[in-house]
Amino acid sequence: ILLVIARWMVFAKAGEPGWKSIIPIYNTYTSYKIAWTTGMFWMTLIFSLMGSFFQTMGGDGVNIMAMLGGICNIVTAVIAFMYCLNLAKSFGKGILFGVGLWLFEPVFTMILGLGSARYQKIRNY
């Protein structure tokens, strides 16, 4: 329940209606809109879907499909890491806070939402 409240507060601090934080997929879209660009959300979604598709098609063995799936998953993880860095920057936090968001998202989201951090409209690219 605390995490739901914290995410709601992060959205509210950024000028977005808090209810957007509880709708699956739309909350991620809105989060990317807050911290980065919606284009990066779509890239994340596409690479995630491609990674799942390629790994399913590749089976358990080591083949080109499984390797493509792994590459797509790595790209998705890198984009997610960069998103966390941008979100931290948008709230006036540093790189280490962004790493914390990436590794321990629930804890650091509560710090952002329930703490004194203020949203700064920074256009991150």
Side-chain angles (χ1 to χ4, degrees):
I1 292 177
L2 274 177
L3 186 56
V4 172
I5 293 168
R7 285 186 179 141
W8 189 293
M9 294 301 296
V10 167
F11 276 52
K13 286 180 179 185
E16 292 289 336
W19 61 264
K20 290 181 178 183
S21 68
I22 59 174
I23 299 175
I25 300 174
Y26 190 50
N27 62 3
T28 306
Y29 175 84
T30 305
S31 293
Y32 272 79
K33 182 176 151 185
I34 289 169
W36 208 356
T37 67
T38 55
M40 294 311 291
F41 163 78
W42 292 111
M43 280 187 60
T44 302
L45 183 63
I46 289 167
F47 276 103
S48 295
L49 293 173
M50 285 176 23
S52 296
F53 172 76
F54 286 137
Q55 286 192 327
T56 302
M57 295 302 290
D60 293 332
V62 177
N63 58 43
I64 191 72
M65 293 297 245
M67 289 188 336
L68 285 173
I71 290 169
C72 287
N73 290 337
I74 290 170
V75 170
T76 300
V78 169
I79 292 172
F81 179 72
M82 292 170 56
Y83 157 78
C84 289
L85 293 177
N86 284 331
L87 183 61
K89 184 178 175 185
S90 295
F91 280 90
K93 303 293 184 183
I95 292 172
L96 288 177
F97 195 91
V99 172
L101 270 168
W102 191 60
L103 295 174
F104 307 107
E105 187 263 338
V107 173
F108 283 82
T109 298
M110 284 191 269
I111 293 170
L112 281 182
L114 303 175
S116 62
R118 302 270 182 248
Y119 180 71
Q120 305 164 6
K121 186 145 179 100
I122 298 172
R123 187 40 88 204
N124 297 306
Y125 294 100

